[in-house]
Amino acid sequence: MAGMVTAKVWVLKKHFEGFPKTSDFDLKKIELPNLKDGELLLESVFLSVDPYMRPYSRTVMKEGDVMIGTQVARIVDSKNPAFAVGIFVVAKSGWRTHFISDGKDLQALPSGWPESLPVSLALGTIGMPGLTAYFGLLEVCKMKPGETVLVNAAAGAVGSVVGQLAKIGGCKVVGCAGSDEKVAYLKKIGFDEAFNYKTVKSLDEALRKASPDGYDCFFDNVGGEFASVAINQMKKYGRIAVCGAISQYNDSVPQKGPYVQMPMIFKELRMEGFLVTSWNNRWEEGLKTLLKWVMEGKLKCHEQVTEGFENMPAAFIGMLKGENLGKAVVKV
């Protein structure tokens, strides 16, 4: 490819205070050098916006750094025999339109990926969020057929997969979300019970009505008040997978909650926090299974696609506010 390539990148201009604002980001241009032997040039096709970016921006980034994140990228030029021009890969190169790689940090799409399937799903249901649901349910919750599973933020990238995997596994599934449109979507994809936590009079009552006998498994993406109420409705020996705490990510002052010890003791509960990276050695198995279920129509995918790299901050902020149904992605 002749000539210099100019990449556009979004940098963290200043650390977020409370909710991120568009003014916290800066769009910059970077001239990329010519390729050396063993290198390849990639262009981002789809970029992911995910909740984890909010807490991690504080712990792993300095002001002025390119925003962290993953993309599906196409190889546009290659001086590396292992990578052919035109193929799609998943990369962790942050919010950039173009970047150079030596190939070590790139992940191929799972084998057998059909032409007809959008490559963006490699950032969602057949990617990190799908695997989070898969390992969180199977390895942390250890769900068994006939159990009742509760999941919050149920219409999001992870939650919507959790509910469907629990149905595939023979469980009763209760989900909650923050709009009537989302609740209707949950019913459509097979949730047994679903409610809008913003409009119910009492969260406690809504949970009790959805499952009078309580819950064996609780897959928690939200934390905060919801978790404090839900823990009291766990069955004896219930298991709680703590996946996320999106209700708390934007707090400048930590919330003070009820405390978990009493229900945990008297119901002998197990509550475990987890990161999907713990199962890195099993990603291939997980992705293969998820791809198979998507192809068989057992696992439905919904994406919220924002057009234009210039709209990444808006897509990120919208996702944190719950404006997305399913996985939020940006199409370059």
Side-chain angles (χ1 to χ4, degrees):
M1 207 168 147
M4 297 284 263
V5 174
T6 304
K8 285 188 276 191
V9 305
W10 279 106
V11 302
L12 179 68
K13 189 173 171 181
K14 81 189 244 317
H15 275 297
F16 309 127
E17 298 290 340
F19 241 94
K21 303 180 289 296
T22 44
S23 58
D24 296 332
F25 301 89
D26 217 355
L27 186 58
K28 292 212 151 95
K29 287 183 174 174
I30 298 177
E31 293 277 321
L32 297 182
N34 289 323
L35 291 185
K36 301 204 239 332
D37 282 342
E39 289 185 334
L40 39 151
L41 172 69
L42 299 103
E43 68 178 359
S44 300
V45 183
F46 289 97
L47 292 125
S48 186
V49 286
D50 300 282
Y52 78 82
M53 295 169 175
R54 174 65 182 86
Y56 277 74
S57 69
R58 207 23 112 183
T59 53
V60 303
M61 292 182 63
K62 308 183 299 298
E63 290 179 349
D65 286 354
V66 175
M67 278 297 295
I68 52 173
T70 28
Q71 59 265 85
V72 171
R74 187 191 292 113
I75 298 172
V76 287
D77 196 6
S78 175
K79 290 194 172 181
N80 183 325
F83 292 91
V85 168
I87 67 165
F88 291 100
V89 292
V90 178
K92 293 193 177 91
S93 291
W95 297 13
R96 309 168 187 267
T97 56
H98 299 79
F99 54 99
I100 289 171
S101 165
D102 60 6
K104 288 189 179 73
D105 52 349
L106 304 177
Q107 203 192 350
L109 297 182
S111 57
W113 190 286
E115 286 275 305
S116 58
L117 204 61
V119 289
S120 50
L121 294 181
L123 298 173
T125 303
I126 313 170
M128 180 276 290
L131 292 169
T132 302
Y134 181 82
F135 292 116
L137 261 184
L138 298 179
E139 302 295 329
V140 184
C141 278
K142 295 188 165 56
M143 64 158 182
K144 297 188 262 309
E147 292 191 324
T148 302
V149 175
L150 170 65
V151 58
N152 50 20
V158 174
S160 57
V161 180
V162 169
Q164 295 181 85
L165 295 186
K167 287 310 295 175
I168 292 170
C171 294
K172 175 185 167 176
V173 181
V174 176
C176 82
S179 78
D180 292 346
E181 180 204 4
K182 290 179 180 179
V183 169
Y185 173 70
L186 296 178
K187 296 266 174 70
K188 197 176 104 182
I189 61 173
F191 280 64
D192 297 286
E193 300 285 339
F195 64 86
N196 180 345
Y197 71 89
K198 290 183 181 169
T199 55
V200 294
K201 282 192 194 64
S202 148
L203 187 54
D204 194 60
E205 262 168 55
L207 288 170
R208 207 173 300 272
K209 193 172 148 235
S211 179
D213 302 335
Y215 299 91
D216 300 283
C217 300
F218 169 28
F219 193 109
D220 186 15
N221 294 308
V222 175
E225 188 199 356
F226 187 101
S228 302
V229 173
I231 198 169
N232 290 304
Q233 301 209 20
M234 297 302 292
K235 293 186 190 180
K236 191 122 174 135
Y237 311 117
R239 288 90 63 205
I240 302 170
V242 186
C243 173
I246 198 166
S247 70
Q248 298 166 261
Y249 291 163
N250 295 296
D251 293 345
S252 332
V253 179
Q255 298 177 24
K256 269 189 112 59
Y259 300 105
V260 299
Q261 284 79 1
M262 297 279 276
M264 285 195 73
I265 296 164
F266 296 113
K267 290 181 178 180
E268 296 181 70
L269 305 177
R270 225 191 67 211
M271 185 177 191
E272 186 179 338
F274 75 98
L275 295 171
V276 68
T277 43
S278 295
W279 291 278
N280 274 352
N281 61 331
R282 288 179 55 193
W283 276 47
E284 207 172 324
E285 163 213 330
L287 292 174
K288 219 167 150 168
T289 309
L290 293 165
L291 175 60
K292 177 173 164 286
W293 284 333
V294 168
M295 294 312 296
E296 290 170 356
K298 290 180 184 169
L299 190 51
K300 310 268 190 293
C301 313
H302 193 286
E303 297 179 297
Q304 192 84 36
V305 182
T306 300
E307 300 265 347
F309 184 74
E310 67 280 4
N311 295 318
M312 279 213 66
F316 175 59
I317 293 163
M319 176 274 305
L320 288 174
K321 290 187 170 161
E323 287 166 12
N324 55 302
L325 179 63
K327 175 76 186 91
V329 292
V330 175
K331 184 173 196 251
V332 182

